[in-house]
Structures are given as structure tokens and as C-alpha cells.
């Protein structure tokens, strides 16, 4: 029976390791391509090829690097989505506990805010009563 319960745990661990590996690879790809784009911005030195050819090569390389950055970014977004789906599908109890805790916290806040609002209403009513008495106590109604 312990063997049956360890199989899902190993599967979960393998999936989480896969997520970690993919995360490291995508972040490394973004970093590498960004560094290469920054290197291309540095000052050029005269070489054997013409400036026009050099510019075309840099433009093409920048397009490739930008495409790689975009691809790695999209892969990270997909990874985040996969992790969310995994969390939603396989972690109902934690979600339920979190929702219950959050609901209790909001209920406590609601009681606190209701008490504050009732205090404010009472203070406003008292002030309004004082202003009415002062207004009607004055013979002309104006100061």
C-alpha cells in the first residue's frame, strides 16, 4: 500500500523537477540572448567586411535574438499556465483551506468595518443634531 502512495509522489516530484528544469532553461535562454543583443550595441571596429554588410548581419542577428527572447518568454508564460493548471487540478484541499481562511479573514474585516461605519453614523447623527439645535436656536437662522 505504501508503494501505491509513493508512485503519485514520485510522479509529482518528476513533474516538479521538469518544471524547474524548463524554468532554468527558459531564463538562461532569455539571459543569453539579452546579453548577446547588448554586445551587438557596442562600438564596432573596422574589419574585412563593409559597413553595409556588417549592419545587415547585425540586423539579422538582432532579429534572431529577439525571436529567441520572445520564444523563451512565451515558454515561461506557458510554464506558469501549466503550473497553475497543475495546482488547480491536484491541490483542491489547499485551495479549499485557503478560501476558507480568506473567507474568515474577510468576515472579521466586515464586522470591523460595520462597527466603524456604525460609529461614524452615530457621530454624524450627534453632530447633525448639534448643528440643527444651533441653527434653530439662532433667531434668524443665519450667522
Amino acid at each position: 500500500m505504501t508503494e501505491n502512495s509513493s508512485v503519485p509522489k514520485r510522479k509529482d516530484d518528476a513533474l516538479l523537477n521538469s518544471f524547474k528544469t524548463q524554468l532554468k532553461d527558459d531564463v538562461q535562454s532569455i539571459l543569453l540572448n539579452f546579453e548577446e543583443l547588448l554586445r551587438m550595441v557596442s562600438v564596432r571596429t573596422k574589419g574585412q567586411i563593409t559597413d553595409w554588410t556588417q549592419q545587415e548581419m547585425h540586423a539579422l542577428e538582432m532579429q534572431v535574438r529577439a525571436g529567441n527572447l520572445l520564444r523563451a518568454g512565451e515558454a515561461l508564460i506557458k510554464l506558469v499556465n501549466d503550473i497553475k493548471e497543475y495546482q488547480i487540478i491536484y491541490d483542491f484541499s489547499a485551495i479549499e483551506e485557503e478560501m476558507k481562511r480568506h473567507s474568515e479573514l474577510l468576515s472579521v474585516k466586515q464586522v470591523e468595518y460595520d462597527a466603524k461605519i456604525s460609529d461614524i453614523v452615530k457621530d454624524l447623527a450627534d453632530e447633525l443634531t448639534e448643528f440643527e439645535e444651533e441653527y434653530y436656536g439662532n433667531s434668524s437662522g443665519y450667522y
Side-chain angles (χ1 to χ4, degrees), residues 18-28 76 79:
S18 169
F19 286 156
K20 287 179 184 178
T21 303
Q22 185 178 354
L23 175 68
K24 287 178 185 177
D25 292 345
D26 291 339
V27 170
Q28 185 66 27
L76 282 175
L79 176 66

Side-chain angles (χ1 to χ4, degrees), residues 1-62:
M1 185 157 173
T2 59
E3 197 171 308
N4 288 339
S5 64
S6 67
V7 171
K9 176 129 175 80
R10 279 189 264 152
K11 183 180 177 186
D12 290 345
D13 290 342
L15 186 60
L16 291 176
N17 285 336
S18 169
F19 286 156
K20 287 179 184 178
T21 303
Q22 185 178 354
L23 175 68
K24 287 178 185 177
D25 292 345
D26 291 339
V27 170
Q28 185 66 27
S29 176
I30 289 173
L31 181 64
L32 175 70
N33 285 296
F34 187 72
E35 287 174 348
E36 288 300 321
L37 279 172
L38 289 178
R39 277 195 201 106
M40 282 190 277
V41 178
S42 64
V43 179
R44 291 187 302 252
T45 59
K46 288 285 186 184
Q48 293 181 349
I49 57 177
T50 63
D51 286 341
W52 185 82
T53 307
Q54 188 70 31
Q55 289 173 358
E56 287 295 319
M57 285 175 42
H58 281 304
L60 180 62
E61 189 175 352
M62 288 175 109

Side-chain angles (χ1 to χ4, degrees), residues 92-110:
F92 286 119
S93 60
I95 293 172
E96 189 174 314
E97 288 173 17
E98 182 64 24
M99 287 177 59
K100 182 185 273 188
R101 188 187 64 77
H102 193 65
S103 176
E104 290 170 358
L105 177 69
L106 291 177
S107 295
V108 169
K109 288 284 188 187
Q110 180 184 3

Side-chain angles (χ1 to χ4, degrees), residues 79-129:
L79 176 66
V80 168
N81 188 37
D82 290 346
I83 291 172
K84 285 179 182 178
E85 286 179 4
Y86 173 79
Q87 189 68 23
I88 289 169
I89 291 172
Y90 294 107
D91 203 9
F92 286 119
S93 60
I95 293 172
E96 189 174 314
E97 288 173 17
E98 182 64 24
M99 287 177 59
K100 182 185 273 188
R101 188 187 64 77
H102 193 65
S103 176
E104 290 170 358
L105 177 69
L106 291 177
S107 295
V108 169
K109 288 284 188 187
Q110 180 184 3
V111 169
E112 179 183 331
Y113 291 155
D114 286 345
K116 286 181 181 180
I117 289 172
S118 65
D119 289 345
I120 291 172
V121 168
K122 183 181 174 190
D123 290 344
L124 286 174
D126 292 344
E127 291 293 325
L128 187 58
T129 304

